[in-house]
């Protein structure tokens, strides 16, 4: 649970995107957060307080003159509601609400508790494209950013009003991912991290090829963890259907040669290179241009070696900090140690192939010049965060 122990004040202002916040309220709790909804009068035109109470299991606060939500002795909900909060998340955040916050106005419960807060404020704008692009809104947005307020989105796309452009509120899963990232320590702020993930596919003919069972889950989790840690992340991915982690630049490739070429374009400007991909060691020398027919007999495949991407990067002048992976079926530590030496890299992460390929969790061995550290079985995202913390300690 990525938000275990966190208490979130979920502010809602008027906007059709309010219906999506019902889903967000559930997802926040699925991740272990407690949620206190506070709704403006306009928000209640779109979703009722009863709905939000049912979804959060708590009374919803709507009225700045009510004593509900305040301590018994002072009756000041606009102060007390946020004193136990880890963050206020306002979604949807209307143009009007952003303007009021930018100008320090406090004329209802939500704007008053925002002004009186001690905890971070994150806002998910939701409005018509022209309202978003209006210079007045953009001035307010610049002020909010300068004041340290985190804006989540908005996204581009089709809008409820029938127009198209920027101003769509992020989807609940995107808001959740951004909020989880917000709470992670920024151990790699300002660093560029390059990651390979997934399998490669080496064509035999236009419909067949040589590949392996890598799902991409481990590499994608590391990309997410690196981005959560504040890095600028480029993910070179072999064939996989996984969604791209938020804020990560993804380059899709098929073959090892394509993966090599994409990596070499970014390696010199990266501070960290993490090779998680299960790269095919060989490719078919001459892939057939048309489908090989079964009737023409069993084909003989001639193979040639693919470039070793990790070894190439590790041998660059001013190479980034290189981290390799090894999936072994037996003697994991022994083979991992040998692979670290052969690849000439400071850190190799070894795992048991039978457990690692395609699974949601994994045990990792971190092998460096000093020895081996075991990261006991956990979800790949949890392991990715531990690995990123370890890598951050190794950077100058
Ligand atoms: O994707 P998942 O289903 O989540 O599974 C994760 C994983 C098992 C694929 C991952 O944890 C893992 O172990 N990846 C490395 C797989 C492997 O055994 O690689 P290797 O021994 O062939 O290569 C060693 C290292 O060199 C790896 O970092 C690899 O990316 C790199 N390499 C290998 C060959 C090559 N031509 N170029 C490379 O860069």
């Amino acid at each position: 649970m990525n938000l275990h122990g966190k208490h979130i004040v979920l502010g809602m202002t008027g906007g059709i995107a309010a219906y999506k916040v019902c889903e967000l309220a559930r997802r926040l709790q699925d991740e272990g957060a407690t949620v206190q909804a506070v709704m403006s009068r306009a928000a209640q035109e779109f979703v009722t307080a009863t709905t939000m109470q049912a979804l959060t299991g708590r009374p919803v606060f709507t009225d700045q003159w009510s004593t509900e939500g305040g301590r018994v002795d002072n009756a000041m909900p606009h102060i007390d509601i946020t004193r136990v909060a880890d963050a206020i998340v306002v979604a949807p955040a209307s143009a009007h609400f952003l303007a009021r916050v930018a100008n320090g106005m406090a004329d209802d419960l939500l704007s008053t508790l925002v002004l009186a807060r001690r905890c971070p404020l994150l806002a998910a704008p939701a409005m018509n494209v022209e309202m978003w692009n209006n210079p007045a809104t953009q001035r307010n947005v610049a002020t909010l950013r300068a004041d340290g307020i985190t804006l989540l989105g908005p996204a581009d796309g089709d809008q409820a009003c029938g127009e198209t452009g920027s101003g769509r509120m992020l989807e609940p899963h995107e808001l959740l991912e951004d909020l989880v990232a917000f709470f992670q320590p920024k151990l790699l702020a300002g660093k560029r991290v390059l990651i390979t993930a997934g399998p490669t596919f080496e064509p035999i003919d236009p419909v067949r090829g040589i590949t392996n069972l890598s799902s991409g889950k481990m590499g994608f989790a590391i990309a997410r963890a690196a981005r959560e840690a504040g890095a600028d992340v480029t993910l070179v991915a072999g064939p996989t259907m996984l969604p791209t982690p938020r804020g990560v630049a993804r380059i899709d490739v098929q073959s090892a040669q394509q993966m090599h070429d994409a990596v070499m374009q970014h390696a010199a400007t990266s501070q960290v290179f993490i090779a998680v991909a299960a790269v095919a060691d060989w490719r078919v020398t001459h892939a057939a241009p048309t489908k090989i027919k079964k009737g023409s007999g069993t084909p003989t495949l001639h193979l040639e070696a693919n470039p070793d991407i990790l070894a190439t990067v590790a041998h660059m002048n001013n190479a980034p900090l290189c981290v390799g992976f090894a999936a072994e079926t037996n003697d994991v530590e022994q083979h991992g140690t040998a692979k670290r030496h052969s690849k000439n890299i400071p850190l190799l992460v070894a795992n048991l192939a039978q457990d690692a390929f395609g699974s949601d969790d994994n045990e990792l061995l971190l092998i460096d010049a000093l020895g081996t550290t075991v990261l006991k079985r956990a979800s790949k995202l949890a392991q990715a965060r531990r690995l990123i913390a370890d890598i951050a300690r190794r950077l100058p």
Side-chain angles (χ1 to χ4, degrees):
M1 295 214 282
N2 287 306
L3 294 173
H4 179 72
K6 299 284 185 225
H7 182 63
I8 306 297
V9 170
L10 181 58
M12 298 172 67
T13 67
I16 185 61
Y19 79 92
K20 295 186 192 175
V21 178
C22 301
E23 170 74 6
L24 176 64
R26 294 304 292 260
R27 286 180 175 243
L28 289 168
Q29 293 168 95
D30 291 345
E31 291 295 343
T34 49
V35 177
Q36 175 60 63
V38 178
M39 300 175 76
S40 73
R41 194 193 53 72
Q44 296 168 70
E45 296 288 333
F46 295 90
V47 171
T48 67
T50 312
T51 301
M52 294 311 294
Q53 174 164 353
L55 291 173
T56 60
R58 289 165 170 260
V60 174
F61 301 131
T62 57
D63 180 3
Q64 78 187 115
W65 304 116
S66 162
T67 57
E68 271 189 313
R71 293 200 320 262
V72 180
D73 56 341
N74 70 4
M76 291 194 190
H78 67 286
I79 306 292
D80 295 333
I81 288 172
T82 65
R83 287 298 176 264
V84 287
D86 294 287
I88 304 173
V89 178
V90 179
S94 65
H96 184 62
F97 174 77
L98 297 181
R100 279 149 69 220
V101 177
N103 289 284
M105 292 173 71
D107 53 1
D108 69 356
L109 178 61
L110 183 57
S111 57
T112 310
L113 63 80
V114 159
L115 194 64
R117 77 187 183 282
R118 286 185 188 145
C119 63
L121 171 63
L122 300 91
M127 65 196 74
N128 165 269
V129 53
E130 302 304 342
M131 293 170 80
W132 174 253
N133 288 334
N134 190 292
T137 303
Q138 289 305 309
R139 265 198 313 277
N140 293 330
V141 164
T143 301
L144 295 171
R145 290 204 170 109
D147 288 349
I149 292 160
T150 300
L151 292 188
L152 308 176
D156 290 344
D158 294 339
Q159 303 201 306
C161 54
E163 298 183 2
T164 304
S166 201
R168 269 177 70 93
M169 194 179 79
L170 296 183
E171 297 300 321
H173 71 273
E174 296 172 318
L175 291 172
L176 186 70
E177 198 171 321
D178 283 358
L179 183 61
V180 169
F182 177 82
F183 285 117
Q184 293 299 317
K186 301 295 171 245
L187 302 172
L188 292 180
K191 304 289 184 203
R192 287 217 176 96
V193 176
L194 178 62
I195 298 166
T196 64
T200 60
F201 181 93
E202 310 298 328
I204 295 172
D205 69 12
V207 296
R208 305 182 182 93
I210 300 170
T211 187
N212 61 68
L213 293 174
S214 170
S215 63
K217 287 178 185 173
M218 189 71 240
F220 275 57
I222 292 171
R224 176 176 169 177
R227 182 256 173 180
E228 287 178 344
D232 186 347
V233 182
T234 301
L235 174 63
V236 182
T240 162
M241 301 297 280
L242 294 179
T244 311
R246 298 265 309 144
V248 166
R250 172 173 179 171
I251 302 170
D252 283 316
V253 296
Q254 191 180 58
S255 66
Q257 184 65 51
Q258 290 168 355
M259 186 172 274
H260 168 273
D261 296 348
V263 164
M264 295 319 291
Q265 279 188 13
H266 293 85
T269 52
S270 300
Q271 285 79 48
V272 179
F273 174 51
I274 313 175
V276 194
V279 185
D281 289 315
W282 303 280
R283 62 175 173 240
V284 177
T285 304
H286 297 293
T290 54
K291 185 177 174 186
I292 300 169
K293 290 293 171 199
K294 200 173 166 189
S296 48
T298 307
T300 302
L301 298 179
H302 292 282
L303 302 178
E304 61 187 9
N306 271 323
D308 189 320
I309 304 164
L310 176 57
T312 308
V313 175
H315 281 95
M316 283 170 48
N317 289 331
N318 296 322
L321 175 75
C322 287
V323 180
F325 266 71
E328 305 293 342
T329 53
N330 56 290
D331 303 315
V332 176
E333 185 172 2
Q334 194 185 328
H335 289 310
T337 304
K339 208 167 265 182
R340 189 182 82 80
H341 286 298
S342 72
K343 301 268 181 179
N344 187 32
I345 52 174
L347 178 62
L348 185 125
V349 183
N351 46 192
L352 187 66
Q354 304 88 302
D355 285 357
F357 280 95
S359 61
D360 289 327
D361 50 31
N362 198 7
E363 177 171 291
L364 300 178
L365 303 186
L366 271 47
I367 304 173
D368 65 9
L370 299 175
T372 300
T373 308
V374 180
L375 300 186
K376 284 204 171 302
R377 193 170 198 88
S379 74
K380 285 185 174 172
L381 182 57
Q383 298 292 51
R385 288 181 182 138
R386 291 175 187 165
L387 177 61
I388 288 298
D390 182 280
I391 290 171
R393 281 194 291 275
R394 293 170 192 267
L395 287 170

